[in-house]
Amino acid sequence: MLIESADRFRKYTSPEEFEKIIDYGTICNMWKHCAREYAALPAINYADELYSYAQLDEDAAALRSYIRQAGIEPGSRIALLSTNSYAFVKAFLGIVTAGCTAVVLPAQLDETALFGCIMKFNASALVYEDALEEKTGFASARLPHIKFISAESKDEGFVPVYEADEKDG
């Protein structure tokens, strides 16, 4: 299938490989396909624990539901503070499948730099890995209108994957 934006990759692949490129239209559609197609397969191996696509999808869905129940609307920017971990992947997928933009921040930021990034990037919320929670105090004390959400937050309700327009990506 020919994809306009993928055409630039044509010179790096054989014609057979290029024809295998699938146009999912959006990240949300791609994730729905992967979660369904590869449900039983390992998605992440982190800290000697394997997580299947089904488990990752379930965990991302619980966070997605929490994000939406917190009143954060599709199109919002959500800052993400996490190490390179399962929590990062789960949080990233929870954010983008809620229809929001993930603003990925380096885990090494100190608390004042974190505060500055939240303001600079106009984030509506911060999703953080629990191990980094101590970095959120400065910002949470000064930004009461911002929602601070643990990457471990869950809501048992169901919010479907956001149906983004292809122009949204």
Side-chain angles (χ1 to χ4, degrees):
M1 171 178 287
L2 178 63
I3 307 167
E4 245 180 72
S5 62
D7 200 43
R8 64 182 167 216
F9 297 107
R10 184 182 296 277
K11 66 183 176 182
Y12 302 107
T13 64
S14 69
E16 296 80 27
E17 289 172 324
F18 187 80
E19 290 304 315
K20 292 179 185 177
I21 296 174
I22 299 171
D23 183 359
Y24 296 102
T26 67
I27 293 170
C28 292
N29 287 340
M30 182 178 67
W31 176 248
K32 286 192 299 188
H33 168 82
C34 290
R36 183 179 57 248
E37 188 72 21
Y38 311 121
L41 296 176
I44 302 286
N45 182 351
Y46 178 72
D48 294 325
E49 189 165 346
L50 283 175
Y51 298 89
S52 69
Y53 278 87
Q55 181 64 51
L56 179 55
D57 188 47
E58 182 180 315
D59 290 345
L63 181 59
R64 174 177 65 243
S65 182
Y66 189 91
I67 288 167
R68 294 302 303 280
Q69 294 303 321
I72 301 167
E73 294 297 321
S76 300
R77 291 184 190 122
I78 299 179
L80 172 55
L81 183 69
S82 181
T83 61
N84 186 9
S85 62
Y86 180 73
F88 173 85
V89 178
K90 172 182 63 172
F92 179 82
L93 288 169
I95 291 167
V96 298
T97 62
C100 300
T101 300
V103 179
V104 179
L105 303 174
Q108 294 78 13
L109 291 177
D110 67 25
E111 63 182 6
T112 56
L114 176 62
F115 168 76
C117 286
I118 292 169
M119 295 209 26
K120 177 177 177 64
F121 298 116
N122 197 27
S124 300
L126 171 72
V127 173
Y128 59 87
E129 183 177 348
D130 284 354
L132 302 174
E133 183 176 15
E134 73 278 356
K135 294 185 177 197
T136 67
F138 184 84
S140 65
R142 288 159 179 80
L143 300 170
H145 61 288
I146 302 295
K147 296 189 172 37
F148 289 80
I149 301 170
S150 163
E152 299 305 316
S153 297
K154 295 180 179 185
D155 184 86
E156 300 306 318
F158 178 74
V159 173
V161 171
Y162 180 72
E163 294 294 330
D165 291 330
E166 288 191 27
K167 66 179 176 8
D168 295 336

